Every structure is written in structure tokens, then in C-alpha cells.
Amino acid sequence: MKVAILGYGNIGRAAEQAIIAAPDMELAGIFHHNDRRVSGDEQAMRDNPIDADVVLLCTPTREVQKFATVLAARGICTVDSFDIHGQIWNLRNALDAVCETNRSVSIISAGWDPGTDSMVRALLKAMAPKGLTYTNFGPGRSMGHTVAAKAIPGVKNALSMTIPLGTGIHRRMVYVELEDGADFKTVEAALLADDYFAHDETHVIAVDSVDALNNVAHGVNLVRNGVSGDTHNQRFEFNMTINNPALTGQVMVSCARAAMRMKQRGEYGAKTMIELRPIDLLPGEKENIIKEIV
Amino acid sequence: MKVAILGYGNIGRAAEQAIIAAPDMELAGIFHHNDRRVSGDEQAMRDNPIDADVVLLCTPTREVQKFATVLAARGICTVDSFDIHGQIWNLRNALDAVCETNRSVSIISAGWDPGTDSMVRALLKAMAPKGLTYTNFGPGRSMGHTVAAKAIPGVKNALSMTIPLGTGIHRRMVYVELEDGADFKTVEAALLADDYFAHDETHVIAVDSVDALNNVAHGVNLVRNGVSGDTHNQRFEFNMTINNPALTGQVMVSCARAAMRMKQRGEYGAKTMIELRPIDLLPGEKENIIKEIV
């Protein structure tokens, strides 16, 4: 199975390692907008043939749809980790028709949330249909909040940490490195008024170096208390403490395997992870996997 | 969707409640060997038409294959919670051909272990392919060990509790109610020599009433520490504390839904839970499920 990578940031580099470690995959190339092999724009992508069964789209989330559409139209499978929860259904719909027409498979939102957490949430709901699930994130860096903090005037660099307080409530710890002459109180007020931060408990802390705090650790505590049949108080908990890009890259690579298998069976289309069979994520023969894992 | 139940013990009763609670199901009948509606033997099952899309086989594990074969041959989907880990692949193979020929779906080993735990194990292996997973059971009653303890001469009633000690190692706490005149030391020695108990730390305790200890609570602590790509120390943990038959019945009912959907798509055959898409376990429209859960 030939797997290529588009985008060579944290996740692209992690995906590269996961492909190298996979017993059934060959790295078919790494494409990046600063790289000679391919330009990041659509036209260049159309003009350059890619000898790959699957391309992992390790680009910024907002570029996913453009590249996935171009590749699907050429019958090449894609995997992305598109992470804007409210837009997942629209992305799926837009890609689904292109995939069906061109006999390809796009697995979308294949990271840990959305992604593997989504599979756990679906499973827990099947186990106890009534009840509440809370997904508690962190401690770990929020990409969206970090970008929002960096956009505040007077901020040179920033890091927004997500701290879980339980029941899906989170505290934001925002570490800011100020530009020369910037006033902390002014920056703090602007940040606390920003829509990204206005609704959560937020603490702003000035530091000399944001880079000194750099750490890609993250975590999840996902809990459900629900009802199976008419039996209440069924309790479930899923925890993880992980290196964020390493897990995202690995999940994308496991999904590349599922995409190939679905294509081979003629199951074309765009799919989220809750539409995948867990066995398709794993290498090897069905008989061995069932004997080992079930 | 019309769902019937064969076998009306703890799990059959729990499955009944889960069917009643399901928004998309109708209880199509409960069949039991002591019940007039159908006799438990194969011939009677063949002779009596059943107006059901899916039959849940809530029978003893060793009777599953017989009933599943008869029903699959008539094009009726089945779900069972066959729990002898070493024989799952053989059961799947035996039923698969019958299902393919008769356009039906049998979902096998659909409980919590094997079953939903198997899905979690598969998912964790896809997230961190190298590493160790430990499934720690309990505290809760082991059916197999309880039956083995009851078979010891001098034992009137027994309960074998499984106590997790970590890394997949378990202690057995065996509560025995002795027959009149039975000698505790003799019973204890016979039990400790039994192959079911000889390999684990086992404690035998005489009690006046085993019934007074009756409790269907159970639990799981499933842990994996693995490697994503080349990044070590990725830690995952899945915990649950549950009513055992209530969860088993609910999982079987959710799998009945998946069986019907697979049959409607022409995906015939015998499948374990790691071969199912999580979305198929849930009621409702695909769009709503994806918007809510992913």
C-alpha cells in the first residue's frame, strides 16, 4: 500500500514515522508547499501525477476540502483530520459525491477528537443509550485558542492550555509573550473580551518565553453514566495521556489502511470514523486479528 | 424492526427491557424451552414460523451454534453473546457460509467481553500499534468458575468472584455453601486442585447462604501503553462498572439493529463486533448521529 503525505508540519512528520513503522505500507512521497516536488496549489496538484494509493492531508484544516476534492476526482483515496465539529457533515456531503463518481474513499475527521473519541462516544451510547457523556480535554494546548491569543494586539507569541474541570467545562490558561512596549493589562483585557475566551474561566499570564513552555502532550477523560435497558447507573470512562501529533498521525495512517480496504470492496464515498469497522484499521489477516483481539 | 428473544434467563430479561426502550424496535416474542410458544429443540424451531427480523440468542453459550444455524438457514438474522474466546473463529466460520447462502446476518460474541471490549482493544491497537494491552476483569462473578465450583463434591451452592490484581492477573474469591455433612477442608482441597483454580491465587470461604451474596455487578479496567509511530508512552485506559446482564442484553439489542442494516445493504455473513461500524449500533438518521457524536 503506497501512502503519501501532503503537509510536513507536526502531524505530517508523525504520520511519516507511522508509515515507516507499518508492516504493510510504503512511503510514496512527502509533498509540501515549500518543497520542489509539488506546489501546494490546486493546479499543481492536478498537473503532477502522484503514485500513491492514499494521500494523508496533513494540511491546515481549512485547506482539506480543496485537496481532498482534487485527489478524489482522480480516484485517489484521502485521509484528513478536519477538526471543525460543526462543519463535518457538510464536508462529508461535499466529498461523498466526488468519491462515489470517481470510485475513491475519503476518510474525514480522522484524528482523536473528532476521530477515535467519536468511536468511543458512539460505542458508549450503544451500551447505555440514555444518559450523559462528558468529554473533558487536557491538560494540553488548544490550537484554536492559541491562534486567537496570538491575534491579540501586543502579543508576540502565545500558548493557550486547556484544563479540564469536569462535566465538559474547561479553564483556559493563556501564556503570553508581549511585544516590546505592550501593556499587559491592555492585552489581558482584550484577550478576556475575545469571543474565544469570554465564555470560559480564563487566566492570562505574561512569560518571557512561550517557546520554553512548548509541549505537545495532551489528554482526554471521557465519561458516560447511562441506562442499559431499564438499568441505571452504568458507568464508563475512557482516559488517555498522549503525544498529540504522534497520535493524530498514527490514527490517519491506520485510517489509510481502512480506506484502501473499503476501496477494494467497492465501498466508495466519504466516511467519518464511526462509519468504519475497527478491524479495517489493523494490519494482517482477519483470522489472526479476530483470534488475537476478540 | 421486529426482534424476538430465545432464552429467558438474566440476559433474555435484560434484552426484553432494551427492546422495549428502543425507539425503532418491536418485541416479536419471547421463546423459552419451558414456554408453550416454542420448544427449545431444533425440530420445533424449524416447525414454528417466527415473525421476526432478528432473534437474540440468550441461551447457554453451547446452544448458540445450533439455533443460529437453524435461523440463518431460514434467512433470519441472529445475535448471540457466545463467550468461549478460543472458539469464536470456528463459530464465525461455521455460520458464515449459512448466512451467505441464505442472505442473513449473524452477529456473534456480542456482549462486553468478547464484544465491546474487543472493539476498544482493536481501536487502541490502531492508535498505538506496538505495546501491551491488559484487560482486568471485576470485581464480579465469573460464570465459568462458579459452575466449576458448584461441581465440586460436597458443594451445595457456590459463587466465584473475579478480583483484578492488574496486568491481567486475577484473584478468585470462592464462596461455598456446603452440603450437610460435607467437610470444608476436603472441599477446599478439591477446589484448589481443579484446573479452573489451580493457576490463580484462590481463596475458599464457607458461607451459610450463597444467595445472600447475589449481585450481578461487574467491571473492567482495560489498559494499554503503546507506541504511535515512533513515539512511546502513549497511555490509554477504559473503565466500566456495570450491571452485567443489563449491559449484555443492551449490547445484543444494539447489534440487532446493526444486523438489520447490514442485511438491508446485502452485507450477509457472520461477523464479530470488531467487524461492525459503530454508527450501525445507534438508532436514527446518519446525519443526526454524525452531527451529535462525531
Side-chain angles (χ1 to χ4, degrees):
Chain A
M1 194 182 313
K2 292 178 180 174
V3 183
I5 294 169
L6 177 70
Y8 202 49
N10 280 341
I11 293 175
R13 285 166 214 269
E16 179 186 17
Q17 294 305 324
I19 293 168
I20 291 168
D24 53 350
M25 292 185 186
E26 184 187 319
L27 183 60
I30 297 167
F31 303 99
H32 193 66
H33 56 86
N34 294 325
D35 189 294
R36 284 186 189 176
R37 280 171 289 181
V38 71
S39 153
D41 73 18
E42 235 174 287
Q43 194 55 46
M45 188 68 125
R46 279 208 189 85
D47 295 345
N48 290 286
I50 296 179
D51 182 23
D53 299 307
V54 187
V55 176
L56 307 182
L57 303 177
C58 304
T59 65
T61 264
R62 293 189 193 283
E63 290 182 22
V64 159
Q65 185 167 345
K66 178 178 70 178
F67 289 116
T69 305
V70 170
L71 290 161
R74 286 161 59 182
I76 297 173
C77 296
T78 63
V79 178
D80 65 68
S81 59
F82 183 88
D83 66 353
I84 307 173
H85 283 262
Q87 296 175 23
I88 293 171
W89 177 254
N90 291 344
L91 174 64
R92 186 184 175 284
N93 270 358
L95 290 178
D96 202 42
V98 187
C99 289
E100 291 272 7
T101 307
N102 299 284
R103 298 167 160 260
S104 68
V105 176
S106 285
I107 300 183
I108 68 166
S109 299
W112 53 268
D113 204 318
T116 49
D117 278 1
S118 315
M119 292 180 91
V120 173
R121 283 192 288 266
L123 189 58
L124 297 188
K125 198 159 187 205
M127 296 164 86
K130 296 181 186 177
L132 288 165
T133 297
Y134 293 114
T135 306
N136 303 296
F137 297 104
R141 177 195 342 211
S142 163
M143 288 300 291
H145 290 79
T146 294
V147 170
K150 284 182 184 173
I152 303 289
V155 174
K156 186 174 167 190
N157 201 356
L159 163 65
S160 180
M161 292 290 288
T162 303
I163 311 298
L165 303 179
T167 59
I169 304 297
H170 296 92
R171 176 188 299 143
R172 311 287 169 188
M173 297 294 289
V174 188
Y175 300 89
V176 293
E177 191 176 323
L178 297 177
E179 284 174 350
D180 286 348
D183 173 58
F184 175 74
K185 285 288 171 197
T186 308
V187 165
E188 183 185 39
L191 194 145
L192 294 176
D194 188 287
D195 200 53
Y196 258 92
F197 299 98
H199 313 289
D200 295 328
E201 178 194 329
T202 301
H203 301 262
V204 187
I205 298 141
V207 296
D208 291 339
S209 163
V210 162
D211 187 57
L213 311 178
N214 190 31
N215 183 355
V216 295
H218 219 307
V220 163
N221 163 251
L222 193 161
V223 291
R224 182 169 182 83
N225 190 334
V227 186
S228 307
D230 64 351
T231 301
H232 292 243
N233 201 23
Q234 303 278 78
R235 291 176 183 264
F236 310 89
E237 182 177 25
F238 175 71
N239 298 309
M240 61 181 196
T241 56
I242 45 92
N243 172 312
N244 182 353
L247 181 57
T248 304
Q250 180 66 63
V251 169
M252 293 179 78
V253 168
S254 295
C255 285
R257 184 177 291 121
M260 267 308 282
R261 287 178 173 162
M262 292 165 78
K263 183 175 176 174
Q264 283 161 357
R265 289 193 296 258
E267 298 168 5
Y268 310 120
K271 309 284 179 189
T272 59
M273 281 192 79
I274 66 170
E275 298 167 88
L276 308 185
R277 306 168 180 85
I279 196 170
D280 278 344
L281 300 168
L282 301 174
E285 293 301 314
K286 191 170 280 193
E287 177 172 351
N288 295 334
I289 299 171
I290 290 175
K291 284 183 173 173
E292 182 198 331
I293 285 186
V294 177
Chain B
M1 194 184 310
K2 295 178 179 174
V3 184
I5 293 169
L6 178 69
Y8 202 47
N10 281 341
I11 293 175
R13 284 167 215 272
E16 180 186 16
Q17 295 304 324
I19 292 168
I20 292 167
D24 53 350
M25 292 186 186
E26 184 188 318
L27 184 60
I30 297 167
F31 303 98
H32 193 67
H33 56 84
N34 293 327
D35 189 294
R36 283 186 191 176
R37 280 171 289 181
V38 71
S39 154
D41 73 17
E42 238 175 284
Q43 194 55 46
M45 188 68 123
R46 280 208 189 85
D47 296 344
N48 290 285
I50 296 178
D51 181 23
D53 299 308
V54 187
V55 176
L56 307 182
L57 303 178
C58 305
T59 64
T61 264
R62 293 189 193 283
E63 291 183 21
V64 159
Q65 184 165 345
K66 179 177 71 178
F67 289 116
T69 306
V70 170
L71 290 162
R74 287 161 57 182
I76 299 172
C77 296
T78 64
V79 178
D80 65 67
S81 59
F82 183 88
D83 66 353
I84 306 171
H85 283 262
Q87 296 175 24
I88 293 171
W89 177 254
N90 291 344
L91 174 64
R92 185 185 176 285
N93 270 359
L95 289 179
D96 202 43
V98 188
C99 289
E100 291 272 8
T101 307
N102 299 282
R103 300 167 158 259
S104 68
V105 176
S106 285
I107 299 183
I108 69 166
S109 300
W112 50 270
D113 204 318
T116 48
D117 278 1
S118 315
M119 291 180 91
V120 173
R121 283 191 289 265
L123 189 57
L124 297 188
K125 197 158 188 207
M127 296 165 85
K130 296 180 187 179
L132 287 165
T133 296
Y134 293 114
T135 306
N136 303 296
F137 297 103
R141 178 196 341 212
S142 164
M143 288 300 290
H145 290 80
T146 294
V147 169
K150 284 182 184 172
I152 302 288
V155 174
K156 188 174 166 190
N157 201 357
L159 164 64
S160 180
M161 292 290 288
T162 304
I163 310 298
L165 303 180
T167 58
I169 303 297
H170 297 91
R171 176 188 297 143
R172 311 288 169 187
M173 297 294 289
V174 189
Y175 300 90
V176 293
E177 192 176 322
L178 296 177
E179 285 175 350
D180 286 347
D183 174 58
F184 175 73
K185 284 290 173 197
T186 308
V187 165
E188 184 186 37
L191 194 144
L192 294 176
D194 188 288
D195 200 53
Y196 258 91
F197 299 98
H199 312 289
D200 295 328
E201 178 193 329
T202 301
H203 301 261
V204 187
I205 298 141
V207 296
D208 291 339
S209 164
V210 162
D211 187 58
L213 311 179
N214 191 32
N215 183 355
V216 295
H218 219 306
V220 163
N221 163 251
L222 193 160
V223 290
R224 182 169 182 83
N225 189 335
V227 185
S228 308
D230 64 350
T231 300
H232 292 243
N233 202 24
Q234 303 280 76
R235 291 175 183 264
F236 310 89
E237 181 176 26
F238 175 71
N239 297 310
M240 62 182 195
T241 57
I242 45 94
N243 173 311
N244 182 354
L247 181 57
T248 305
Q250 180 66 63
V251 170
M252 292 179 78
V253 167
S254 296
C255 286
R257 184 177 291 120
M260 267 309 281
R261 287 177 173 162
M262 292 164 78
K263 183 176 177 175
Q264 283 160 357
R265 289 193 297 257
E267 297 169 5
Y268 310 120
K271 308 284 180 191
T272 59
M273 282 192 79
I274 66 170
E275 297 167 89
L276 307 185
R277 305 169 180 86
I279 196 170
D280 279 343
L281 300 168
L282 301 175
E285 293 300 313
K286 190 170 281 191
E287 177 173 351
N288 295 334
I289 299 171
I290 289 174
K291 284 182 173 173
E292 182 199 331
I293 285 185
V294 176

